[in-house]
Amino acid sequence: MLDSHHHFWQLDRGWYHWLTPQLAAIHRDFMPADLAPLLQAHGITGTVLVQAADCAEETVFMQRVDAEFVRGIVGWVDFDAADAPARVHALAAGQKIAGVRPMIQDIADPGWMLRPVLAPVFRAVAEAQLVFDALVKPPHLDNLHRLLERHPDLRVVIDHGGKPCIRAGVDGVGGLREWAPKMRRLAGHPQAVGKFSGLLTEAKPGATAADLQPYADVLLETFGAGRLLWGSDWPVVCLAGGYGHWVKISRQLLSALPAAEQEKIWKENAERVYNLVTQGEG
């Protein structure tokens, strides 16, 4: 098994503007020693470490973390910098760098990704053979579709299944009726894959597998088992029951699939999409 999405952070570094004391369950340091026993308990042998702060210093921090189980890193680049394409290529040469992720959900302009000035940066990501992790919410999904039309060579992972607002219900803003057709359209782009993660924290407290099943079904029907990657979103998942709870619910949500298709979601797709096989287990 492979966890395609988790974070590490140390609060005293001052980078995590979104991580406030109100998020009490995760408002502390989380490092490899905290994650290792969870991975061992669930038979997970490798991970993808994903940025959690909008600064280049955090990417350097991630590269220096001593954790053999980290097989790939999704870092951060300032897409708005004048020399952003060069920064992308420089980052791609770094140790274990597999992708980049601007924090789109926190950018005030929902059309930010379509700014013409950013086109050379997206081309650089594709040229450098990096994955673009799209941290988006339902209001961004139409623009993400347009971005994929403009850049058919850009490999895109849609984090947390596009973050449907599960707590809003079927007809609420960002809920199933709004989110599902947009995800179906995005799945029409062969270079896009979905990340099977983050659903618990988009639902009401105490959500069960039955509550999440309609959303999981949309992802399975649109992307199929060959284009979904399982991720924990740890430690954020500690806001909604924790690592083991999400593993248990994920197994329930995927239980109807043949074992070979489950293996794709749990491991093989992440290795292929993030090009982790050639990097080895370390």
Side-chain angles (χ1 to χ4, degrees):
M1 292 170 60
L2 192 150
D3 183 347
S4 73
H5 195 108
H6 74 90
H7 313 285
F8 292 134
W9 56 66
Q10 293 177 323
L11 295 185
D12 63 2
R13 294 180 179 270
W15 298 328
Y16 311 99
H17 55 83
W18 61 273
L19 188 48
T20 64
Q22 286 70 36
L23 301 172
I26 60 173
H27 193 256
R28 66 172 180 86
D29 293 354
F30 286 89
M31 293 297 286
D34 302 296
L35 181 57
L38 299 173
L39 300 180
Q40 184 175 7
H42 298 289
I44 297 170
T45 58
T47 70
V48 176
L49 175 58
V50 179
Q51 65 82 226
D54 52 358
C55 64
E57 291 84 358
E58 195 220 11
T59 301
V60 175
F61 158 72
M62 292 193 296
Q63 289 178 291
R64 292 175 177 171
V65 165
D66 184 14
E68 290 188 0
F69 54 76
V70 173
R71 295 178 57 186
I73 293 171
V74 176
W76 183 89
V77 168
D78 184 357
F79 273 49
D80 291 310
D83 63 343
R87 295 189 188 194
V88 167
H89 285 287
L91 183 66
Q95 182 182 9
K96 294 186 178 180
I97 296 296
V100 294
R101 186 176 85 149
M103 300 181 78
I104 293 175
Q105 70 173 14
D106 295 331
I107 296 173
D109 177 10
W112 172 86
M113 70 184 87
L114 297 179
R115 293 180 180 181
V117 71
L118 298 184
V121 194
F122 285 109
R123 286 198 297 270
V125 174
E127 291 165 0
Q129 299 184 355
L130 294 177
V131 173
F132 176 68
D133 264 50
L135 179 59
V136 293
K137 294 182 176 182
H140 302 102
L141 297 180
D142 287 339
N143 287 333
L144 184 59
H145 164 68
R146 297 185 185 98
L147 182 72
L148 292 175
E149 286 186 319
R150 294 180 183 182
H151 300 278
D153 295 331
L154 183 69
R155 290 182 297 144
V156 175
V157 171
I158 306 170
D159 285 350
H160 314 319
K163 302 193 78 167
C165 189
I166 299 173
R167 66 178 62 88
V170 172
D171 294 313
V173 176
L176 185 66
R177 198 177 303 278
E178 174 188 341
W179 165 82
K182 295 181 179 183
M183 291 302 291
R184 290 191 179 97
R185 184 167 66 164
L186 283 167
H189 296 279
Q191 78 270 37
V193 301
K195 198 166 277 188
F196 199 86
S197 62
L199 299 182
L200 265 179
T201 47
E202 299 303 318
K204 293 179 179 179
T208 66
D211 296 320
L212 304 184
Q213 194 70 62
Y215 301 85
D217 287 346
V218 169
L219 294 173
L220 288 166
E221 291 164 5
T222 55
F223 290 95
R227 293 166 60 200
L228 287 174
L229 325 176
W230 183 83
S232 68
D233 197 23
W234 180 92
V236 179
V237 73
C238 296
L239 296 170
Y243 203 105
H245 183 55
W246 174 234
V247 171
K248 178 182 178 181
I249 285 184
S250 297
R251 290 190 185 281
Q252 293 173 325
L253 295 173
L254 301 174
S255 62
L257 297 177
E261 293 192 354
Q262 292 188 41
E263 179 69 8
K264 291 178 181 179
I265 296 172
W266 285 107
K267 182 180 182 182
E268 294 173 5
N269 294 339
E271 289 183 322
R272 182 188 74 253
V273 171
Y274 286 115
N275 194 28
L276 303 180
V277 174
T278 58
Q279 296 182 19
E281 290 291 342

